């Protein structure tokens, strides 16, 4: 995060021994009190700079509430201009700049929209061209605006997807004659598969621009008039590349951009007649909504996927949809619905074979089902740990047993989830040991989601300063998240 008002505190204030000691110990009651005294900042000024409410600052100063969120620690550092090293963080981004830089707010014209674009194959090609062109030339300021973009929710999102349920419109006229053959299409399919595997294992956006470049190439090929069989397969490649671009953007914190690529993927699957992958795209959109605490939207997206693909979807993909449905029910507090949908997922998965469904759903096996189920039980355990924490831990252990460290992002998320289960169950020493393993696993990925989940684990390590293992676990999380 960039500082909004760096330099609020002078070097004389920051050099004080009492302030340095309070910063090192993350004792923000003392930090704010000393800053008011020696820095001349009012409580309201501190609150404004740190993006906190005055009431929140008051409760921190009184000792009624502690700062346990890693994100809030970073906001305090950036808002008050406190060098990262004084808080045990890596140097903050603004420390290398001589003056603050302000980015203009996001504007609708910066991002191609999809709401009013007709569900027609040629319009989908134009959308892909616009999206990839704008992303491939994105500079730092545009990236800042994209990071701030909020995902569309509610009726504005759901109404824009209704076209998936009706046949694609006919393309008027013909474009330039193309000469792409099946061999070239097969090479593109292999590349799309490799990118998808990379994202599934490692996460993050390290290869995002490579995916966008390939997506632009496919859009260029579809801008020509290819043979019908080639055209259908190219649209399916576009759908898979756009789906991968969506998850990579999401993993990089670009939530609105991710949604744009999800909607492009759905349109491309629609144009290529790939109903099953379209349902998978809707499941991805539902997962994004669940991470954004929009369970009602997620459930409607899943029902849209189930309705559109009911007659063609296989048991493995159907099981995956049931787990997303179960996730939404859990988020709504509908425990019976959660168990019912989870049971349906297990039943469908038991009927699945390895050779009867597309390659991209092969990841959904018994280990994935256990991991997803454990994650949802963990969600429930946060409000009722006695009832759900141990069961969640058992499911996550089953996932860890079946898939090792080579699972990359999933392995790291499992480790983080198991550590939280143990904290919730009261096994502090076991949780500290598991946290160390979680941090080690997280270092092997570039996933923003992994780091976000690790940040949610951080508060559990605060308040156990008498325990050396917990203190070391806290330091290891802080070191990774600040790197």
């Amino acid at each position: 995060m960039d500082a909004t008002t760096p330099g609020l505190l002078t070097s004389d204030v920051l050099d004080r021994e009492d302030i340095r000691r309070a910063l090192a110990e993350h004792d923000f009651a003392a930090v704010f009190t000393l800053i008011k005294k020696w820095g001349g900042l009012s409580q309201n000024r501190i609150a404004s700079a740190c993006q906190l409410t005055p009431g929140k600052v008051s409760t921190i100063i009184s000792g009624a509430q502690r700062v346990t969120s890693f994100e809030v620690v970073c906001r305090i550092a950036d808002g008050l201009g406190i060098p990262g090293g004084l808080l045990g963080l890596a140097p903050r981004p603004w420390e290398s700049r001589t003056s603050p830089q302000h980015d203009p707010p996001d504007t609708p014209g910066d991002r191609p929209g999809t709401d009013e674009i007709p569900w027609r194959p040629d319009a989908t090609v134009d959308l892909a061209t616009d999206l990839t062109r704008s992303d491939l030339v994105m500079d730092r300021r545009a990236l800042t605006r994209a990071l701030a973009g909020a995902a569309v929710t509610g009726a504005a999102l759901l109404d824009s997807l209704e076209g998936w349920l009706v046949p694609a419109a006919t393309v008027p006229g013909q474009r330039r004659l193309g000469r792409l053959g099946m061999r070239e299409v097969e090479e593109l399919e292999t590349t799309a598969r490799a990118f998808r595997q990379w994202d599934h294992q490692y996460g993050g956006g390290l290869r995002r621009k490579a995916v966008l470049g390939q997506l632009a190439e496919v859009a260029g090929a579809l801008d020509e008039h290819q043979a019908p069989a080639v055209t259908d397969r190219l649209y399916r490649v576009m759908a898979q590349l756009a789906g991968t671009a969506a998850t990579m953007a999401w993993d990089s914190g670009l939530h609105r951009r991710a949604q744009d690529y999800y909607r492009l993927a759905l349109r491309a699957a629609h144009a290529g007649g790939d109903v099953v992958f379209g349902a998978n795209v809707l499941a991805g959109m539902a997962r994004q909504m669940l991470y954004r605490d929009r369970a009602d939207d997620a459930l409607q997206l899943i029902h849209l996927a189930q309705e559109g693909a009911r007659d063609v979807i296989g048991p493995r993909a159907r099981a995956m949809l049931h787990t997303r449905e179960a996730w939404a029910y859990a988020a709504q507090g509908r425990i019976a619905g959660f168990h019912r949908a989870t049971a349906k997922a297990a039943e469908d998965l038991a009927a699945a074979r390895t050779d009867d469904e597309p390659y991209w759903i092969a990841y959904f096996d018994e280990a994935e089902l256990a991991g997803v189920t454990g994650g949802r039980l963990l969600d429930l355990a946060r409000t009722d740990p006695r009832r759900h924490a141990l069961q969640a831990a058992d499911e996550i252990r089953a996932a860890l047993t079946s898939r090792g460290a080579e699972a990359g992002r999933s392995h790291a998320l499992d480790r983080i989830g198991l550590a939280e289960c143990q904290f919730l169950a009261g096994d502090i020493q076991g949780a500290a040991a598991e946290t160390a393993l979680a941090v080690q696993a997280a270092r092997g990925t570039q996933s923003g989601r992994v780091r976000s989940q690790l940040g949610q684990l951080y508060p559990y390590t605060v308040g156990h300063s008498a325990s050396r293992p917990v203190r070391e676990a806290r330091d290891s999380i802080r070191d990774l998240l600040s790197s």
Side-chain angles (χ1 to χ4, degrees):
M1 179 186 301
D2 290 349
T4 54
T5 52
L8 285 180
L9 302 177
T10 66
S11 59
D12 290 343
V13 174
L14 290 172
D15 285 342
R16 290 185 57 86
E17 182 61 30
D18 50 359
I19 288 182
R20 284 179 172 260
R21 187 184 310 113
L23 290 170
E25 295 174 358
H26 284 200
D27 182 356
F28 289 102
V31 169
F32 288 164
T33 299
L34 291 167
I35 284 174
K36 287 177 64 179
K37 180 178 181 179
W38 301 110
L41 298 184
S42 68
Q43 193 165 295
N44 286 344
R45 189 72 181 93
I46 293 172
S48 175
C50 301
Q51 301 176 49
L52 300 170
T53 65
K56 176 81 168 181
V57 173
S58 179
T59 59
I60 292 171
I61 291 175
S62 69
Q65 191 168 359
R66 300 186 63 182
V67 175
T68 60
S69 167
F70 183 82
E71 179 188 357
V72 174
V73 174
C74 292
R75 290 215 309 263
I76 291 171
D78 293 339
L80 297 174
I82 300 170
L86 296 182
L87 285 161
L89 309 175
R92 306 304 296 158
W94 50 263
E95 292 186 53
S96 61
R97 301 200 295 264
T98 58
S99 61
Q101 296 183 26
H102 300 280
D103 294 311
D106 197 7
T107 60
D110 291 327
R111 178 190 49 79
T114 59
D115 298 344
E116 305 301 326
I117 296 175
W119 284 73
R120 207 174 61 211
D122 60 325
T124 297
V125 172
D126 292 339
L127 173 61
T129 301
D130 290 343
L131 274 174
T132 53
R133 181 188 297 120
S134 65
D135 258 7
L136 287 169
V137 300
M138 186 182 294
D139 60 13
R140 190 190 67 81
R141 290 172 177 264
L143 178 62
T144 300
R145 294 195 296 273
L147 282 167
V152 179
T153 59
L157 170 63
L158 297 163
D159 287 351
S160 71
L161 305 177
E162 290 292 334
W164 185 64
L165 296 175
V166 300
T170 304
V171 178
Q174 294 183 355
R175 302 193 178 192
R176 297 185 302 274
L177 180 64
R179 298 180 179 179
L180 212 63
M182 283 300 180
R183 179 177 177 180
E184 290 86 353
V185 174
E186 289 170 358
E187 291 173 352
L188 290 170
E189 290 171 339
T190 300
T191 301
R193 184 169 183 166
F195 280 133
R196 187 176 183 84
Q197 176 59 31
W198 170 269
D199 175 60
H200 184 70
Q201 184 169 0
Y202 299 108
L206 287 179
R207 296 192 178 182
R208 196 171 80 88
K209 292 224 169 173
V211 174
L212 298 181
Q214 194 73 77
L215 184 56
E217 289 291 331
V218 172
L222 281 166
D223 197 38
E224 301 173 345
H225 181 63
Q226 308 289 349
V230 170
T231 296
D232 286 346
R233 287 177 67 172
L234 281 175
Y235 275 116
R236 294 183 178 210
V237 172
M238 175 182 281
Q240 292 181 27
L241 287 170
T244 300
T247 57
M248 285 182 163
W250 175 22
D251 225 20
S252 300
L254 302 168
H255 297 289
R256 181 60 180 268
R257 212 47 144 186
Q259 201 170 53
D260 288 336
Y261 282 111
Y262 272 133
R263 294 199 279 188
L264 171 62
L266 186 64
R267 288 171 177 271
H270 180 258
D274 195 345
V275 176
V276 179
F277 190 77
N280 181 65
V281 172
L282 287 166
M285 299 182 78
R287 183 177 59 173
Q288 185 186 23
M289 289 294 102
L290 287 162
Y291 271 98
R292 308 295 286 177
D293 297 323
R294 301 284 303 192
D296 293 347
D297 288 348
L299 195 57
Q300 291 196 56
L301 287 165
I302 290 300
H303 289 165
L304 185 62
Q306 291 169 329
E307 178 184 355
R310 181 179 292 112
D311 297 332
V312 294
I313 199 168
R316 194 178 300 273
R318 190 164 57 245
M320 180 271 293
L321 290 179
H322 280 312
T323 63
R324 301 290 164 85
E325 185 180 15
W327 189 344
Y329 288 142
Q332 293 175 332
R334 299 168 61 181
I335 309 301
F338 162 74
H339 287 299
R340 183 175 64 253
T342 299
K344 288 182 180 179
E347 181 181 344
D348 283 331
L349 186 59
R353 298 192 321 224
T354 58
D355 59 349
D356 62 352
E357 293 188 63
Y359 80 88
W360 46 260
I361 196 59
Y363 79 94
F364 195 87
D365 54 14
E366 287 75 10
E368 181 69 14
L369 177 59
V372 171
T373 302
R376 305 298 65 79
L377 287 167
L378 173 56
D379 292 341
L380 296 172
R382 293 187 182 114
T383 56
D384 191 353
R386 289 189 177 183
R387 183 178 178 185
H388 300 294
L390 292 178
Q391 187 182 0
D394 287 343
E395 292 286 352
I396 295 173
R397 285 193 186 96
L400 283 167
T401 299
S402 299
R403 58 186 180 196
E406 64 274 7
R409 178 172 58 197
S410 295
H411 176 75
L413 291 171
D414 287 341
R415 285 290 184 198
I416 296 168
L418 183 55
E420 186 174 359
C421 286
Q422 290 175 302
F423 275 119
L424 289 168
D427 182 5
I428 303 302
Q429 297 303 310
E434 191 60 49
T435 298
L437 295 174
V439 171
Q440 181 180 351
R443 291 188 187 280
T445 79
Q446 295 294 324
S447 170
R449 264 177 287 166
V450 168
R451 280 158 173 73
S452 176
Q453 293 295 101
L454 203 57
Q456 293 182 31
L457 190 60
Y458 184 82
Y460 291 98
T461 67
V462 177
H464 303 286
S465 56
S467 167
R468 180 178 176 182
V470 174
R471 189 167 61 251
E472 291 175 345
R474 181 172 65 239
D475 291 343
S476 67
I477 294 176
R478 189 169 64 191
D479 291 345
L480 177 60
L481 294 183
S482 64
S483 63

